[in-house]
């Protein structure tokens, strides 16, 4: 919520010039008619016509002076509900005006400034607001394009009862509406990878860091007696404490290809927007299943504030982590890069657990780089978008996972579970197709094992 007040602000500097600039068409017409009548009265020697001309000319000037000197103290606030909304969904903006002066206001016209992609500029007419009173209005905004859109500043237009003059006062505060990618619920399937989520029967790791915890150590005052390793105690003749174990949260890296040369077309139905939406759906899906999730792009960049192991799921901070990743995807755009080598540099530090990639058009060189990435992960799933099928009518388009392109073949030969993503395909369907591929490979003995994601 933001709040500001208006009265004589910085825009009021200009004195009479500011007041005269606020004359409406009616006010200017009265002023012109009055001046013309006074000139005619002087030429014709008609004193009565002179008085009429004076009245016509003075009336808009008096209205402008009175309106300019009016010192309304009005506070305005804006509230977004919600402040983060998926593309294609509506958000409601609530405006509230409070008269904090001791005098009632006249007729007020309220206008909020919004980007054109969110809809028409909202305008409201507020009747007389009593001293200490308030008025509340609201309007809806909607965008099919993700991004961060500023709302404001709020403008208040004051007018006199005769409609001769109109002045505008602007508030300084504004809010930001974040339109995040569309998210699709994914079915739980078993995909290949060493990452196993979080829970009983999972991999274990050391609870404490340091050389002293690599092997059992001697008992120290304050150690829990339940950690005493009795077999080693009998061997060494002194109390020995075993190392403590805890479940290790498995990792998942989601790679988004943002290269401008890899995607054709633009707009909410383009291949790139589908890839961004698929990335968002996958990130939330893996977070909900307890994985430590990391977002990575072809440029090697990730979410600001993300740890080395990504964001942990199934924790109190998972909602904040999801919000940070969605905010990042809300503004992600095409990169000027031509390859995926930077992303490979980030991944080649060791086993990255499960790797899920959303890729655009690939050449042989980039497919080779992806093959090297597979060696750094416990399991790898790729959704390959053929941008040509997204810019033409969806006729005779290969179905999900259908053979036919060299990049798909090269990825599968490198150990990827690679699925083609044609126009009109749903991510949930492709997710199941990836599971069917893994099941087929496991049944033939080519690639066994899998974990529920």
């Amino acid at each position: 919520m933001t709040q500001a007040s208006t009265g004589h602000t910085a825009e009021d500097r200009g004195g009479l010039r500011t007041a005269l600039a606020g004359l409406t068409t009616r006010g200017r017409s009265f002023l012109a008619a009055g001046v013309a009548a006074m000139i005619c009265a002087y030429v014709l020697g008609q004193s009565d016509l002179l008085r009429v001309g004076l009245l016509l000319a003075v009336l808009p000037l008096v209205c402008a002076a009175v309106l300019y000197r009016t010192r309304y103290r009005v506070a305005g606030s804006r509230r977004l509900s919600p402040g983060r909304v998926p593309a294609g969904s509506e958000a409601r903006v609530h405006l509230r005006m409070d008269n904090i002066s001791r005098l009632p206001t006249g007729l007020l016209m309220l206008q909020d400034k919004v980007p054109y992609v969110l809809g028409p500029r909202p305008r409201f007419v507020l009747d007389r607001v009593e001293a200490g009173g308030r008025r509340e209005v609201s309007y809806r905004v909607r965008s099919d394009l993700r991004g961060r859109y500023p709302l404001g500043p709020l403008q208040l237009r004051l007018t006199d009862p005769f409609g001769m003059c109109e002045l505008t006062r602007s508030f300084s505060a504004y809010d930001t509406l974040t339109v995040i990618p569309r998210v699709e619920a994914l079915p739980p399937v078993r995909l290949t990878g060493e990452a196993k989520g979080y829970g009983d029967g999972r991999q274990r790791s050391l609870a404490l860091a340091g050389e002293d915890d690599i092997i059992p150590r001697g008992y120290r005052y304050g150690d829990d007696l339940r950690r005493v390793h009795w077999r080693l105690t009998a061997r060494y003749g002194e109390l020995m404490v075993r190392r403590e174990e805890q479940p290790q949260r498995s990792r998942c890296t989601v790679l988004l290809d943002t290269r401008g040369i890899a995607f054709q077309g633009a707009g909410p139905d383009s291949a790139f927007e589908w890839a961004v939406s698929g990335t968002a759906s996958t990130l939330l899906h893996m977070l909900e299943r307890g994985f430590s999730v990391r977002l990575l792009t072809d440029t090697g960049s990730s979410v600001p504030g993300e740890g080395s192991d990504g964001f942990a799921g199934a924790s109190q901070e998972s909602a904040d982590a999801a919000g940070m990743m969605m905010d990042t995807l809300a503004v992600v755009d095409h990169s000027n890069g031509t390859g995926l080598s930077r992303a490979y540099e980030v991944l080649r530090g060791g086993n990255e657990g499960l790797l899920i990639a959303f890729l655009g058009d690939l050449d042989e060189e980039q497919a080779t780089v992806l093959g090297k990435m597979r060696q750094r992960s416990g399991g790898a799933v790729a959704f390959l978008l053929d941008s040509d099928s997204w810019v033409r009518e969806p006729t005779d388009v290969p179905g999900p996972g259908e053979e036919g392109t060299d990049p798909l073949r090269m990825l599968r030969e490198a150990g990827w579970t690679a699925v083609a993503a044609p126009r009109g395909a749903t991510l949930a369907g492709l997710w199941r197709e990836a599971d069917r591929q893994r099941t087929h490979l496991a049944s033939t003995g080519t690639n066994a094992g899998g974990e529920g994601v």
Side-chain angles (χ1 to χ4, degrees):
M1 180 180 296
T2 60
Q3 183 170 341
S5 61
T6 182
H8 283 331
T9 62
E11 296 181 1
D12 297 334
R13 302 170 185 173
L16 184 59
R17 181 183 301 177
T18 302
L20 294 178
L23 289 177
T24 62
T25 301
R26 179 183 299 178
R28 296 175 186 274
S29 299
F30 267 67
L31 182 60
V35 173
M38 287 188 292
I39 293 175
C40 292
Y42 176 77
V43 173
L44 300 176
Q46 297 291 330
S47 58
D48 293 337
L49 183 58
L50 179 61
R51 286 191 288 269
V52 173
L54 285 173
L55 177 61
L56 293 176
V58 169
L59 180 59
L61 297 178
V62 172
C63 290
V66 173
L67 185 62
Y68 178 76
R69 298 300 300 174
T70 300
R71 293 181 178 272
Y72 294 143
R73 297 186 61 200
V74 181
S77 62
R78 182 191 299 104
R79 178 171 56 87
L80 303 181
S81 178
R84 184 187 293 120
V85 62
S89 301
E90 290 185 344
R92 182 168 290 275
V93 183
H94 302 268
L95 302 177
R96 172 175 162 178
M97 301 300 299
D98 293 273
N99 182 11
I100 58 178
S101 66
R102 298 181 179 180
L103 298 176
T105 69
L107 189 66
L108 303 178
M109 286 180 286
L110 193 63
Q111 175 178 279
D112 205 8
K113 184 178 180 181
V114 300
Y116 72 94
V117 296
L118 297 183
R121 181 170 296 183
R123 295 181 174 90
F124 304 94
V125 177
L126 304 181
D127 203 354
R128 177 179 180 272
V129 182
E130 65 279 3
R134 70 178 60 169
R135 296 290 185 272
E136 294 184 3
V137 293
S138 64
Y139 63 94
R140 294 178 295 180
V141 290
R142 179 181 181 274
S143 174
D144 292 327
L145 298 174
R146 56 187 176 80
R148 293 174 62 86
Y149 300 102
L151 300 178
L154 194 63
Q155 292 181 333
L156 192 63
R157 301 168 65 186
L158 311 176
T159 183
D160 65 279
F162 300 103
M164 298 289 180
C165 186
E166 184 178 278
L167 297 180
T168 301
R169 300 287 184 262
S170 294
F171 292 70
S172 58
Y174 66 92
D175 290 279
T176 301
L177 175 67
T178 303
V179 180
I180 63 176
R182 295 183 178 92
V183 175
E184 182 179 351
L186 301 180
V189 298
R190 295 176 61 82
L191 298 178
T192 304
E194 294 181 1
K196 299 182 180 181
Y198 187 70
D200 295 337
R202 307 307 187 192
Q203 295 176 346
R204 314 289 287 185
S205 67
L206 296 181
L208 303 176
E211 298 296 334
D212 292 341
D213 297 297
I214 300 301
I215 59 175
R217 57 176 175 80
Y219 176 82
R220 298 173 184 171
Y221 177 78
D223 285 340
D224 192 341
L225 291 178
R226 289 174 295 182
R227 294 176 54 194
V228 174
H229 196 294
W230 296 109
R231 181 177 300 176
L232 291 176
T233 297
R235 177 183 301 177
Y236 291 102
E238 61 175 323
L239 286 177
M240 302 294 294
V241 178
R242 65 174 179 268
R243 59 188 180 183
E244 198 174 66
E245 295 180 335
Q246 66 179 9
Q248 178 183 5
R249 192 183 305 278
S250 298
R251 294 182 293 177
C252 173
T253 300
V254 182
L255 172 63
L256 173 62
D257 184 4
T258 65
R259 296 173 298 139
I261 62 174
F263 297 92
Q264 300 180 29
D269 296 326
S270 64
F272 181 68
E273 292 301 320
W274 190 95
V276 174
S277 177
T279 300
S281 302
T282 303
L283 288 170
L284 294 183
H285 179 79
M286 303 306 289
L287 268 179
E288 291 173 356
R289 276 148 185 79
F291 282 72
S292 291
V293 180
R294 178 172 60 171
L295 171 63
L296 182 66
T297 67
D298 58 286
T299 62
S301 61
S302 57
V303 180
E306 187 178 77
S308 59
D309 291 335
F311 291 109
S315 64
Q316 295 180 352
E317 295 80 14
S318 59
D320 295 335
M324 294 177 63
M325 289 189 290
M326 293 302 104
D327 289 346
T328 300
L329 290 176
V331 296
V332 70
D333 201 357
H334 290 296
S335 69
N336 297 324
T338 58
L340 302 172
S341 57
R342 292 185 179 179
Y344 172 67
E345 292 292 331
V346 175
L347 290 177
R348 70 177 187 175
N351 193 313
E352 298 294 330
L354 181 62
L355 175 61
I356 302 177
F358 290 85
L359 307 169
D361 295 335
L362 298 175
D363 55 21
E364 183 176 352
E365 179 181 356
Q366 305 314 318
T368 302
V369 174
L370 287 168
K372 296 178 180 178
M373 289 186 187
R374 172 64 183 90
Q375 301 173 4
R376 300 291 178 177
S377 62
V381 181
F383 298 98
L384 184 62
L385 285 81
D386 181 8
S387 61
D388 288 339
S389 69
W390 286 80
V391 296
R392 64 172 184 260
E393 292 299 323
T395 57
D396 299 329
V397 176
E402 189 170 324
E403 300 282 357
T405 61
D406 288 337
L408 272 178
R409 177 182 55 80
M410 293 181 64
L411 291 180
R412 290 169 181 169
E413 290 177 352
W416 284 79
T417 301
V419 181
R423 180 180 177 184
T426 63
L427 182 58
L430 298 178
W431 201 251
R432 295 188 181 94
E433 173 62 24
D435 180 47
R436 285 193 291 269
Q437 281 195 26
R438 184 212 63 81
T439 303
H440 174 71
L441 293 176
S443 63
T444 59
T446 306
N447 190 5
E451 285 74 33
V453 298

